[in-house]
Amino acid sequence: MTDNNHILITGACGAIGRACVAQARLRGLRVSGLGHGAWEAQGRDETIDFWTTGDVNIPSLMHVTERAGPIDQIIHLAGGSHVGRSFANPAEDFTRTVGSAQQLLEWARLHAPEVKILFVSTAAVYGNRHSGLINEGATLSPTSPYGTHKLMMEQLVGSYASNFAVHAGIIRPFSVYGPGLRKQMIWELSKRLAASAEPPELGGSGRETRDWVYM
């Protein structure tokens, strides 16, 4: 990577997005962000060169390139991010996850065939019918709209990669935690412990295992 390498991070306002921004800055990259809300740096390594508020769609992506220059790499974090909300509003979750991915892939096909895109999916595509360690090649059987839409996104990525030579890859982080994250088990459990002197009651058998990824 060169010092003038330009990376776009969608969903950069989220906790994982901010961690990616900080890492990109440490590597000397020019960083643009695209997502909802206004950008406000929360740490010294979270400075950003160009920010666009909006949905991930072709007009927004064209705006970034027109104002900040050609994009070399993209980390695509924008999309549905909550299992419960996907049940409450599956149409919105579909648009955020599948719709934004389709727009990004089509933009790459038409306007940026050399850009390299990393799509961030989820371990929820495996579902909950597995026992023990889950191999990457295990059967994909999501049990929520959130997981189903992420799997649909992955299938779109595969289609564009094979049919149109779009340079794209997929990762499936499992149970990410770290500074700034305001959801998932560690945060929820810590919040409940701080709110009451009584030990919280948890579901399950007590024999469950889970890997955590620190960001």
Side-chain angles (χ1 to χ4, degrees):
M1 296 181 183
T2 59
D3 288 343
N4 63 353
N5 202 283
H6 184 197
I7 186 169
L8 170 68
I9 299 172
T10 72
C13 276
I16 299 176
R18 290 182 178 278
C20 290
V21 170
Q23 287 299 312
R25 298 301 298 184
L26 289 174
R27 286 160 172 76
L29 306 182
R30 290 193 298 117
V31 184
S32 291
L34 170 59
H36 295 149
W39 176 263
E40 294 181 5
Q42 297 178 352
R44 62 182 180 85
D45 294 326
E46 291 182 3
T47 55
I48 204 165
D49 294 295
F50 182 76
W51 173 257
T52 296
T53 299
D55 295 325
V56 179
N57 54 35
I58 291 176
S60 293
L61 292 160
M62 295 300 292
H63 177 72
V64 173
T65 57
E66 289 165 3
R67 296 290 300 276
I71 301 166
D72 301 295
Q73 305 170 56
I74 298 174
I75 298 176
H76 181 56
L77 286 156
S81 60
H82 197 283
V83 173
R85 292 185 193 132
S86 77
F87 279 102
N89 196 336
E92 180 183 38
D93 190 82
F94 176 89
T95 300
R96 286 179 174 270
T97 297
V98 185
S100 67
Q102 191 278 329
Q103 287 281 290
L104 178 53
L105 289 161
E106 187 68 359
W107 169 82
R109 181 182 77 87
L110 295 174
H111 303 287
E114 299 303 319
V115 70
K116 295 177 174 60
I117 312 173
L118 179 64
F119 287 82
V120 182
S121 184
T122 172
V125 297
Y126 295 108
N128 58 12
R129 298 183 178 92
H130 301 276
S131 61
L133 298 177
I134 300 175
N135 184 278
E136 183 179 347
T139 301
L140 304 179
S141 183
T143 56
S144 67
Y146 168 76
T148 299
H149 297 155
K150 293 293 188 183
L151 179 54
M152 293 171 72
M153 178 192 75
E154 291 190 13
Q155 292 168 335
L156 265 178
V157 172
S159 174
Y160 270 79
S162 61
N163 292 311
F164 306 112
V166 171
H167 304 289
I170 298 166
I171 60 171
R172 297 169 181 156
F174 197 102
S175 298
V176 177
Y177 74 102
L181 194 68
R182 297 291 183 268
K183 60 181 181 179
Q184 293 199 17
M185 185 182 297
I186 290 180
W187 183 76
E188 292 286 353
L189 184 57
S190 299
K191 185 179 178 181
R192 291 166 65 180
L193 286 169
S196 174
E198 297 296 322
E201 183 176 336
L202 304 177
S205 66
R207 296 189 297 273
E208 292 81 8
T209 58
R210 174 172 291 206
D211 288 330
W212 298 89
V213 179
Y214 182 81
M215 62 181 178

